[in-house]
Structure formats: C-alpha cells, structure tokens
Amino acid sequence: MFNRDRWREILEVLTSNVWRTLLTSFGVSWGIFILIVLLAAGKGLENGIRKDFGDIATNTMFMWTRSTTKAYEGLPKGRSFEFKISDVQSIRDNVPNLRFVSPRNQLGGFRGGGNVVRGIRTGAYNIYGDYPEIINQDPMTVTSGRFINVNDINAKRKVAVIGQGVKNDLYKKGEDPVGTYIKIQGVNFMVIGTYKKNSSDGDGEEAQKEIYVPFTSFSQAFNQGEDVGWMAITAHDGSSISVLKEDIIELMRKRHKVHPEDNRAIGHFDLYQEFNRVESLFGALKAVAYIVGVMVLLSGIIGVSNIMLIVVKERTKEIGIRRALGEQPWSIKKQILMESIFLTVVSGMVGIIFGSLVIYGINSLLDSIGPVDMFLSPSVSIGVVSGAMLILTIAGLLAGFIPANSAIKVRPIEALRTE
Amino acid sequence: MIEIKDLHKSYKMGSNSLHVLKGINFRAEEGELVAIMGSSGSGKSTLLNILGMLDGADSGEYTLDGVPIKDLSETKAAQYRNKFLGFVFQSFNLINYKSALENVALPLYYQGVPRKERQEKALKYLERVGLKEWATHLPSELSGGQKQRVAIARAMAAEPKVLLADEPTGALDSTTSYEVMDLIQKINDDGNTILVVTHEEDIAHMCKRIVYLKDGVIVEDKKVKQVRADHYV
C-alpha cells in the first residue's frame, strides 16, 4: 500500500492526461460538493427550528381541566372541575420517571389582562403562580436579583420576578427594579429579580412580558384556594412523556370521577410529540439530501469507472509487457483499484473543501446580515465528512472493479500483440 | 534445460481450426544458443509463446529446468515467467514513461527485491550492455539498438534460466543487429541458455544450433559453427 513505486506509478498514470483526469474528477467533486452543501443546508434549517424551540424541556406535556362530556357515578355531564394541589403529590407518588410536576396558576392572558400598577404606570401582563422548578421547564436567564425559591413558597412571600418587557414598561431607563413594589390586581408584590427569555420566534415579545410569583402566595392573594389551573409535567430523559401521559390522565380521571372514556374532560398538549414531528421532518430532509447527493455522486463515479476503462484499454500493451515480465494478476488489479480509489478520494476531498468554503461563506454572510428566520449556522459534522470519505473509498473501489477485471481478462499474449 | 515432447497447438478461426504446431519434439541443454528459423506461419512464434508460458499447448509435455509446465494458473505462470524466463521482443516493449533504469528494474520489482538493491542491480546490467550513462533517459530518447540493449538488460536482470528472444533484430539495421547479436553471444558465453527466433540466415548462423520449422513440424535440427558477431561490428 505504502509503496513508493506504486504511488509514483499512480501519479504518472493520472498525470499523463491531465485534462481528462481533471474533468473526470470534477464529476466526483461536484457530487460530494452537492452532498455536503445539501446536508449543511438541512442542518441550518434544523438549527434554526431548534433555536425557535429554545431551551424548553421538550420531554414535557401541559395538562388542564375542561368540563366533562359524559355522565359518571351519578354526576352529570357538562360538569366543571379543577385540579387540586393534592393531585400534584398523587401524580408524583403514582407515576414513575417524572422529573418535574409543576402546578401553575395564571392571571391574564386569555383570562383577561392582569392589571399591574406601579406609580402612574400600568400594564397588562400574564401573571404566573409557580414553583421554583419551572425555571427548568421553561428556561429563562435571570438578569438581576434572583428567581423564586422554596422559602418564598413556604412563607407565601409576596415577591415577583418580572420580565425584561415588564421592566421596560413600568420602570424608567436605568432604574433598578429589585426591591421596589408593584401592585398586581391590587396586591403589592416586591420585585426580587428580572429575567430574559431566549426566543426568536413570534412569541419573543410576549415572553418577556410575564411576571412570576410563588404559587402559594398566588393562591392566597388571588383566592385560588386549593385549585391548580394547569400543570407542566416533564419526564426523565430516558422515558417518553408521550407514554407516561396516559397514566397521568387516567389517574386524574379516577381522582376527579371522570368517565374513563371521557377524552375531552382533561385537555393536554404534548410538546414531545410536536417536537418529534419536527424531528422526523429533519430526518426526511437529511434522507433527501443523502439521496440527491449520492445520486449526483454516482454519476461522477460512473465517469471515473469509464475513464479507468479507457486507461486500461490504452495500457493493454503495457499490461501485457508487465505480465510477460512476471507481474502477478492481483498486483495489476490492485494497481488499477488504487488508481481509481486515489482519483475518487482526492477529487472527493476537493469537493469537500469547496463545500466547506461555501458553507463558511454562507455563515459569514449570515453573521453580517444578522439572524434569518428558521436558518442558523449551516454546518456538517466531522462524522458526516468521514462518512462521505468512506462512501468515496467504497465508490472508488466499485468504480475500479470492472476496469481492473477487464485489465487482467486479456491474455498476456493478446495484450502484447495490440498496438 | 528445456524439454518438449509431442507438442500440439491449434487455433480456432471461426468454424475452422488451424493446426499450427503438429507434434514438436525438442531439447535444449544448459548454455545452448539456439536459433529457431522458419517462414512466417511456420509456427515459430507460437512455439516461443508456449515456451514463454504466454500461451498454453493443447497437448504434449513441456519441462523447464525439471519443472513440468502444465495447467498453470495466471498467478503461477506469472511467477514462473518472472523466475525462469527473460523476454526480448522485436518491438522492444519498453514501458515508455519509465526511464531505462526503471525498465530494467521492473522484473526485480515483481520479485520483491528492495528498492535500493534493485537499482544497484539494474545499473549493473545497464553497464553490461554499455548504457550506464543512459540510465535516466526515457525510451523515446534512445535509438533502436539502445532500446533493444535496454530490453536485453531487463530480460537479464532477473537472472532467468532461459532467455527467449523473438526476432530481436527484426526492427534494426544490420550494424545494430550485429551489435545486439554480439551482446547475445556474450551473454551466452557466460553460460546462459538462449533461444532466438529469427528468419534471417546470418543472424541464425551467429547461434550454435539452428532448428528449422516448417508447417508446424521441425524439418531440420543442426549444430552450426558459430559466426562471431564482433567481426562485423
């Protein structure tokens, strides 16, 4: 393999007709170039969409109550019910593999704008009553002060963490909100921190205009009693929430005397399922990129095979001489296979380099014009590149196979006679 | 060294079959210099090809240096060619993108001789044919006689048991022909067995024995008094 004479010969043969070699190798370079660029574009789309999902724990479901649609155990249909705070512990106790079960209450949003007042400024925001874990399920960056903690929950402190958008509305520029008071529906809360959410899609503006207060304080201040508005439930990484949610909903039906087949009484949104749907789209995109790329590559490979056949034909006499001098058939075969692999791999590398340059160019263009919707840092991983190299080597081998066989098929005596 | 018994060979030409060799019996001892003569179509090249294991016989026995040559696979044939035989062709058959030295070193490469040793040996043989200064030249930069001398050096480099020359002077003018024959005679003087196929009487008489072939059979086999080629050079 690492034989100096063999490599010299490979170079001699391939450089003997430079233009032909270049044109042939262009076919392969082009194929691999297309493959790399397509994969990078797919990756860019994937990155962009993933960014829109943000850091939200995707193995999560949201669950809320609606009115029943079936009569059950003497209770009429059309009955409304609420989750209770005891349901949370019951879920934790009965359904394994759950990471977070966060009860939430909410003011504002679709229930009408929560009225927040500070001095002469007012605003309408979503007010959430939450446990500290929510920061793991709906991640945000605390930009000043702190987030809600367990002590706030236990002591039912009237404290609030406000979004960057709320701060901009209610405070003067440069004013520090931490330690000040805001009045939420007539109740005073002390601001203990501000947050910022990383989101670039349409909700971005809205997401910065939220106020988080301890769940317990919320219940007390706004007369929620034991009620829980909705829940955000996240499963551990190894298990799928889409599977676990069946158990959870069944448990809730039992606790609230809902007919086991009443599918409408408990509403839910399975983020994981939605995410998976998008994931499979990425998979399909990748498959299309591979298929198109490999098809284009294939035509390049056929070109190589063709040229190798011509090279073998041209060298028939030489091969005859070599065999008369005692070169063994496998050695000739190996020589031609190596020429073919070398040509394919080198042209493939050129394609990869050009593909990388184009990707690099697109990236710096994206950097200079700022973020584009649903497209972010297209790239190919080193795994894909080494995969491409593997494909190339195998392709080179296949391309050389027929020519190599035809080289040793001619009997030496006939090979010597050709001019 | 070479022993052939009742060798037959025919070629299929469409529906007809052409019987080229019709029972050849032939022996050559070590150190002999044999000319095989005959008009075109007499079967002399076919005989040489069979002796060179480039072609197989239909029937008959062939023994080379005590080794029976029969039903060889291509790999085995290549091995034997490399070990036992050196070829000199009418059209030289040098590889045109390799220098004289590389051409001579080629059979050694197939033997797996290390690079350095190979080049030293090749240079030694080039020196023997008087072309040491031309070692780095490509065949296209050499004259016909020089090319044939390189080819002879190449054939000798692997130190074969038998040298087979198919019309070695066929493409050369008479002066260079004699030069080449002089070289062949000198190699023979060192004790090498050489078979020369030719149709030129004067070349044949520079050998020690002449075998006449006609229509696929040996019609005459005689020892001759060798004419030294250096008289003419």
Side-chain angles (χ1 to χ4, degrees), chain A residues 191-249:
Chain A
V191 176
I192 53 164
T194 57
Y195 76 86
K196 187 172 181 291
K197 281 187 184 174
N198 312 315
S199 179
S200 68
D201 59 4
D203 299 338
E205 184 82 17
E206 192 78 1
Q208 315 301 342
K209 293 192 168 183
E210 289 166 348
I211 296 171
Y212 290 83
V213 302
F215 184 84
T216 47
S217 335
F218 186 102
S219 300
Q220 198 167 50
F222 305 117
N223 302 322
Q224 299 293 322
E226 295 284 289
D227 289 352
V228 172
W230 48 300
M231 293 190 213
I233 303 173
T234 303
H236 277 296
D237 281 348
S239 34
S240 155
I241 194 70
S242 306
V243 177
L244 293 174
K245 74 178 181 196
E246 303 300 333
D247 296 341
I248 298 169
I249 291 171

Side-chain angles (χ1 to χ4, degrees), chain A residues 136-157:
Chain A
N136 296 312
Q137 288 166 290
D138 187 6
M140 53 193 106
T141 314
V142 174
T143 48
S144 68
R146 62 173 177 86
F147 197 66
I148 299 161
N149 63 23
V150 185
N151 289 334
D152 298 332
I153 298 285
N154 292 341
K156 299 183 183 169
R157 287 177 187 153

Side-chain angles (χ1 to χ4, degrees), chain A residues 3-6 8-9 12-13 315 317-318 321-330 411-413 416-417, chain B residues 11 49 54-55 74-75 78-79 81-82 87 89 91 93-95 97-98 102 106-107 109-110 115 118 154:
Chain A
N3 183 320
R4 196 162 138 196
D5 298 82
R6 212 175 258 288
R8 249 189 77 182
E9 202 163 312
E12 270 166 353
V13 169
R315 293 171 71 201
K317 193 181 170 90
E318 187 202 319
I321 299 168
R322 287 160 173 279
R323 293 180 73 181
L325 293 179
E327 181 163 19
Q328 305 210 337
W330 63 262
R411 288 174 44 233
I413 172 136
L416 277 170
R417 271 195 210 120
Chain B
Y11 289 111
N49 286 335
L54 292 169
D55 207 349
E74 270 303 331
T75 312
Q79 246 171 38
R81 279 199 291 270
N82 189 252
F87 287 94
F89 303 94
S91 52
N93 282 349
L94 298 175
I95 292 173
Y97 59 85
K98 288 186 183 293
E102 287 168 326
L106 214 52
Y109 173 58
Y110 301 140
R115 187 182 168 80
R118 200 158 75 214
R154 181 176 67 181

